[in-house]
Amino acid sequence: MSEHDPKPQHKPVYVTQPYLPPLEEFLPYLEQIWDNKVLTNGGPFHQRLERALCDYLGVEHLALFTNGTIALVTALQALRVTGEVITTPYSFVATAHSLQWNGIKPVFVDVDPDTLNLDPAMIEAAITPQTTAIMPVHCYGHPCDVAAIQKIADNYNLKVIYDAAHAFGVRDGGGSVLRHGDLSVLSFHATKVFNTFEGGAIVCPDARTKQRIDHLKNFGFVDEVTVVASGINGKMSEINAAFGLLQLEHVDRAIARRREIDAAYREQLAGVPGIRCLGDAGEAAANYSYFPILVGPEYGLGRDALYQKLKDQGIHARRYFHPLITEFPMYRGLPSARRDNLPVATSAARSVLCLPIYPALSSDDVERIVALVKGA
Ligand SMILES: *Cc1c(COP(=O)(O)O)cnc(C)c1O
């Protein structure tokens, strides 16, 4: 022992860490793929995962995809959306990119200060004769005001496509939150609550819509010699689907551990001046995918100073969603991207910090993070 005890060393902590089941549990799946030599194109694991996810999520029809972004692009194609689409600036950039890739103009509308989801009260004023759809995001997995959004969509004959990338397994009073709107799009990216390494899905209201989407994700092929649309390659491979089946067996436990961490943060950060924990929607309406706090002026440090302080201690919190989508060069010239059109989103982007939350995060690390936040 040296004279000075070494400082306790901690491993770096990231905002999330993908959940991986024990490797040996995956090997039998790989053996099956090696045996039957079906690697993709709607093979047996793909079919099983579609059914298993429908059961788990409580939806009737779902089409798997190679990732959530191609699923968003395809959802817009499936409903033949054109012109302008009303959406939120407070999201991951893929939401708006999916519109741009379809030659659709995004029209940004501000968010609600309580949920940071698209504010239904702001939507109507943004509707023009070119508007054909609304693309809201269930931000952090907290459900949008689906009833108010549907009412506007019905009044103006607009489609609704939910970017539900954060909303795996989230339910409301009537069932899965994914049943709302015309389509809902999931992401199974490595950083999401349920992952297939890369992956995604479109939740469809009926078998016919699913069939059209299945054609679109396979180049538009209906059979060997018939192509009915200029489709894309959006298929999920057998390896990803097999991993999804295994992951599904673990996901309830993973979410339960996230719930514990969420509860610990909420309890221990309650009453810290200037810190507001976002969205305690109740158990069913949450999957604990993120733990966003808003750092207000009464807090001792600015948001960026707190972010840096944590980083200096090896805790990599993330400022989702800063910068806003509307700050990026391909969107910032749009009239709807002006900051004075988006005061709530602009202020949220300046004050938000997502704290680490994932199943393997230890209670010691949670305490250390809480102590650092409290100690400012
Ligand atoms: C992750 C994410 C996407 C994109 O999903 P990928 O599977 O990574 O393509 C889209 N929208 C939101 C809100 C996301 O968080």
Side-chain angles (χ1 to χ4, degrees), residues 48-304:
R48 275 174 60 192
L49 182 60
E50 283 195 345
R51 279 194 302 271
L53 281 173
C54 282
D55 288 348
Y56 181 87
L57 296 169
V59 300
E60 276 194 58
H61 306 277
L62 167 154
L64 291 173
F65 273 79
T66 185
N67 63 57
T69 304
I70 295 287
L72 281 171
V73 168
T74 307
L76 290 159
Q77 289 273 329
L79 300 182
R80 299 183 173 85
V81 174
T82 58
E84 296 178 2
V85 170
I86 291 171
T87 190
T88 168
Y90 194 81
S91 180
F92 182 60
V93 73
T95 309
H97 280 358
S98 72
L99 299 170
Q100 199 100 310
W101 268 68
N102 277 298
I104 295 162
K105 180 175 165 191
V107 174
F108 296 102
V109 159
D110 209 0
V111 295
D112 176 282
D114 289 328
T115 61
L116 304 185
N117 285 329
L118 203 54
D119 186 346
M122 302 286 171
I123 292 176
E124 220 162 329
I127 295 173
T128 76
Q130 282 70 51
T131 311
T132 59
I134 309 171
M135 184 179 274
V137 178
H138 300 297
C139 193
Y140 308 126
H142 305 148
C144 289
D145 186 345
V146 291
I149 290 169
Q150 194 58 53
K151 198 163 167 220
I152 297 164
D154 290 344
N155 282 344
Y156 291 87
N157 194 24
L158 306 176
K159 304 282 190 200
V160 181
I161 298 177
Y162 281 102
D163 180 339
H166 300 176
F168 184 87
V170 175
R171 304 174 75 81
D172 61 20
S176 170
V177 81
L178 306 171
R179 76 190 187 284
H180 296 292
D182 294 277
L183 297 172
S184 286
V185 177
L186 290 163
S187 165
F188 306 147
H189 182 256
T191 55
K192 307 300 206 266
V193 163
F194 169 82
N195 90 79
T196 56
F197 282 46
E198 292 269 6
I202 303 180
V203 174
C204 320
D206 53 63
R208 234 187 115 202
T209 311
K210 170 170 159 56
Q211 193 179 54
R212 175 163 163 76
I213 287 169
D214 283 342
H215 294 157
L216 283 173
K217 81 176 186 192
N218 188 29
F219 313 97
F221 274 109
V222 171
D223 59 38
E224 251 179 61
V225 292
T226 317
V227 174
V228 292
S230 43
I232 198 159
N233 182 359
K235 305 186 302 294
M236 177 182 278
S237 86
E238 285 292 277
I239 286 234
N240 300 103
F243 184 79
L245 275 170
L246 175 58
Q247 187 81 318
L248 204 51
E249 290 178 23
H250 292 266
V251 74
D252 282 338
R253 250 172 302 150
I255 292 174
R257 175 62 189 145
R258 286 175 174 274
R259 180 188 303 137
E260 286 174 9
I261 295 167
D262 178 284
Y265 275 141
R266 264 178 219 288
E267 191 192 321
Q268 295 176 55
L269 292 175
V272 178
I275 297 291
R276 187 186 135 211
C277 299
L278 203 75
D280 192 0
E283 274 203 10
N287 59 11
Y288 313 98
S289 45
Y290 299 86
F291 196 85
I293 59 171
L294 296 176
V295 183
E298 317 85 82
Y299 189 69
L301 294 172
R303 189 274 311 269
D304 288 341

Side-chain angles (χ1 to χ4, degrees), residues 2 26 36 89 140 189 273 309 312 316 370:
S2 74
F26 193 43
N36 65 28
Y140 308 126
H189 182 256
K309 175 182 166 177
D312 291 343
H316 301 261
V370 166

